[in-house]
Amino acid sequence: MMEYFAVAGGRPLQGRVTIHGAKNSALPILAATLLADGESVIHNCPALTDCAAALEILTCLGCRVGREGSTVTVDTSCRRGHTIPDELMGRMRASVLFLGALLAREGMAVACWPGGCALGARPIDLHIRAFQALGAQVRSWSGQLYFEGPRLQGREVALPIPSVGATENAMLAACGAQGVTVIRNPAREPEIVDLQGFLRCLGAKVSGAGTEEIVVEGGRRLHPGEYAVMADRIVTATYLCAVAAAGGEGELLGAQGAHVRPVLSALAAAGCEAGECAGGLWVRRTGELRGIGSLTTGPYPAFPTDAQPLLTAVLAGARGKSRITETIFDHRFRYVQGLCAMGGCIQVRGDTAAVTGRPLRGARVEATDLRGGAALTVAALGAQGESAIFGLEHIDRGYEALDRDLTALGGGVFRRREQTCGMPGVGI
Ligand code: EPZ
């Protein structure tokens, strides 16, 4: 039994959707609940398979977890152990974010090497170097990583590249280090600022998130807290691109314009209009989509790598040429195969995709990763005719219900099951 999205493309959107909480903010915040004994309450925590995996890790570590709608509770009073189960490390790379919190609380953390994924190697050398800078010892033995740091000391942690995960792990471990830690060249994403907000509500002394230096005064006894996760800026980008691809207009409630400025600029260049409205953003595309020339992804506040597939899906159906260069991940154009199956004219050479826009047609395609799958769905909304998007297990990792939300925006996206097994060939 294969689940897929049936998409009726080629008609303009008209609707309103609420943006759910940010996956990439909720995951480090759930890990950070380990830093305090007692029950923390996390609001606007998205109901995603990745968040379910994070709650499974907390349960394996002896915590009691609960969910009512988008509010999650984590009671760490009976916390025990310091090992992340191999199955969960393999299922979700972000499980690595629990290492910093375990080191801070237990002085010890054990996990298998996280696998790579569809985006490329995904090493964790910067996480390891950050822990070592704080005084932890790291050993690798028969596929397991052993981190020991019973007496972490506040130090300077200089990141050679602004890694999001390494920044978050350094912040979490630094909360358990005696003295002051200064993280230089940290990631500056809004999710880092959200993590700082949660740590502060636990009583931690953290400052500088979003700037070129984060300072953590560690060694404080922290208490449980209550916090609301920010809106997901990549989900926001997804729905902006959906309206751009299909045409029409939409309202995105809860969206924060400041978090998606590069995406709004790129879509304006392609012929869209957008602005702030009461409680969110509006977006409209009534004229023809056009190519935007060259665009390069980069660390925040540059154009986000996670929105790269989504914008390429829009440009594939535009009139004119565009060149998209990916600088963060070395393997992030696999979804292009699906766009070409829809009639897209895209050539990938190394880190750059050369797009010659043309009208797209419906096809049967398969997602290879989370944002690639969302990109194929966005392209299908702008394509003429019916499409089938397989590989929903990837999409469900980052979207509560992409079909529900795109339907709320006026799109025809329906979750279906197909009797045959295996991805069927092209052609409806
Ligand atoms: C986070 O991944 C996000 N995931 C990713 O979102 C996002 O694409 C990425 O940041 C970049 O913004 C979560 O927050 C859970 P990085 P992360 O460390 O932390 C290299 C999605 O779609 N690197 O900033 O893993 C790495 O290979 C996901 O929601 C090292 O070399 O990203 C990459 O080339 C996909 N060594 C670059 O740095 C390390 O130790 C940036 O990675 C760590 C990273």
Side-chain angles (χ1 to χ4, degrees), residues 7 39 81 86 99 104 133 161 180 194 200 204 215 228 231 279 301-302 377 415 426:
V7 182
E39 183 176 85
D86 291 4
L99 294 173
I161 58 172
V180 176
D194 223 23
R200 284 176 171 172
V215 179
T377 309
R415 189 180 286 257
V426 170

Side-chain angles (χ1 to χ4, degrees), residues 23-24 27-28 93-94 97 119 121-128 161-166 168 189 233 305-306 327-330 332 370-371:
K23 167 176 84 77
N24 294 348
L27 293 175
R93 171 192 157 75
L97 293 173
L119 307 182
R122 306 293 296 272
I124 61 165
D125 56 313
L126 302 182
H127 301 242
I128 292 171
I161 58 172
S163 156
V164 171
E168 290 162 344
E189 274 70 1
R233 62 191 173 100
T305 176
D306 292 347
T327 65
I328 304 294
F329 290 111
D330 55 12
R332 191 158 208 174
L370 164 54
R371 307 304 174 187

Side-chain angles (χ1 to χ4, degrees), residues 39-416:
E39 183 176 85
S40 288
V41 181
I42 314 296
H43 299 293
N44 205 28
C45 183
L48 305 168
T49 52
D50 272 11
C51 292
L55 293 174
E56 268 187 68
I57 292 173
L58 289 166
T59 305
C60 291
L61 292 169
C63 303
R64 274 196 305 276
V65 303
R67 175 187 279 275
E68 273 193 41
S70 65
T71 294
V72 160
T73 54
V74 179
D75 186 340
T76 61
S77 312
C78 302
R79 181 181 53 77
R80 69 181 185 288
H82 47 251
T83 299
I84 300 174
D86 291 4
E87 190 274 327
L88 287 164
M89 273 303 275
R91 193 184 336 159
M92 179 179 72
R93 171 192 157 75
S95 306
V96 73
L97 293 173
F98 284 82
L99 294 173
L102 284 170
L103 258 183
R105 285 311 306 275
E106 292 279 311
M108 179 91 182
V110 180
C112 65
W113 280 96
C117 70
L119 307 182
R122 306 293 296 272
I124 61 165
D125 56 313
L126 302 182
H127 301 242
I128 292 171
R129 281 168 57 175
F131 296 150
Q132 289 172 327
L134 298 175
Q137 303 294 318
V138 186
R139 287 181 299 117
S140 172
W141 188 68
S142 75
Q144 293 287 314
L145 273 169
Y146 295 84
F147 299 85
E148 290 173 64
R151 277 173 299 287
L152 295 178
Q153 294 298 319
R155 289 280 189 289
E156 176 173 295
V157 177
L159 293 174
I161 58 172
S163 156
V164 171
T167 301
E168 290 162 344
N169 250 333
M171 290 166 75
L172 295 171
C175 288
Q178 290 304 323
V180 176
T181 294
V182 177
I183 305 170
R184 298 203 193 287
N185 190 34
R188 296 164 53 177
E189 274 70 1
E191 293 79 7
I192 305 288
V193 179
D194 223 23
L195 175 60
Q196 173 179 272
F198 179 65
L199 292 174
R200 284 176 171 172
C201 99
L202 298 184
K205 287 203 78 173
V206 189
S207 58
T211 73
E212 71 285 355
E213 185 177 282
I214 295 174
V215 179
V216 180
E217 285 182 39
R220 302 166 64 91
R221 185 173 178 73
L222 303 183
H223 52 72
E226 186 164 1
Y227 193 76
V229 172
M230 63 180 248
D232 193 309
R233 62 191 173 100
I234 306 302
V235 170
T236 299
T238 304
Y239 300 159
L240 290 169
C241 288
V243 174
E249 59 183 1
E251 271 187 57
L252 311 182
L253 304 181
Q256 299 187 46
H259 290 169
V260 289
R261 292 261 176 267
V263 178
L264 293 171
S265 304
L267 293 178
C272 298
E273 302 160 85
E276 320 251 345
C277 61
L281 289 174
W282 62 268
V283 56
R284 179 172 42 235
R285 195 267 291 177
T286 49
E288 194 175 53
L289 272 177
R290 48 183 186 263
I292 64 167
S294 294
L295 180 137
T296 300
T297 67
Y300 195 87
F303 190 93
T305 176
D306 292 347
Q308 175 260 93
L310 304 162
L311 180 67
T312 305
V314 172
L315 297 172
R319 175 186 290 273
K321 293 182 184 298
S322 307
R323 286 173 62 80
I324 309 294
T325 300
E326 170 60 49
T327 65
I328 304 294
F329 290 111
D330 55 12
H331 207 54
R332 191 158 208 174
F333 285 117
R334 291 181 64 193
Y335 66 92
V336 165
Q337 184 184 355
L339 294 181
C340 292
M342 293 180 178
C345 178
I346 305 169
Q347 261 147 14
V348 176
R349 284 206 183 82
D351 63 0
T352 297
V355 183
T356 303
R358 56 165 63 155
L360 302 181
R361 61 179 185 276
R364 294 173 85 114
V365 292
E366 180 150 18
T368 53
D369 66 272
L370 164 54
R371 307 304 174 187
L376 294 177
T377 309
V378 163
L381 284 169
Q384 286 305 322
E386 294 268 321
S387 293
I389 318 287
F390 289 81
L392 301 193
E393 68 280 6
H394 296 290
I395 297 174
D396 291 341
R397 288 188 46 224
Y399 297 85
E400 277 191 344
L402 185 60
D403 47 332
R404 173 201 69 196
D405 286 356
L406 290 175
T407 301
L409 271 173
V413 183
F414 309 98
R415 189 180 286 257
R416 293 235 174 96

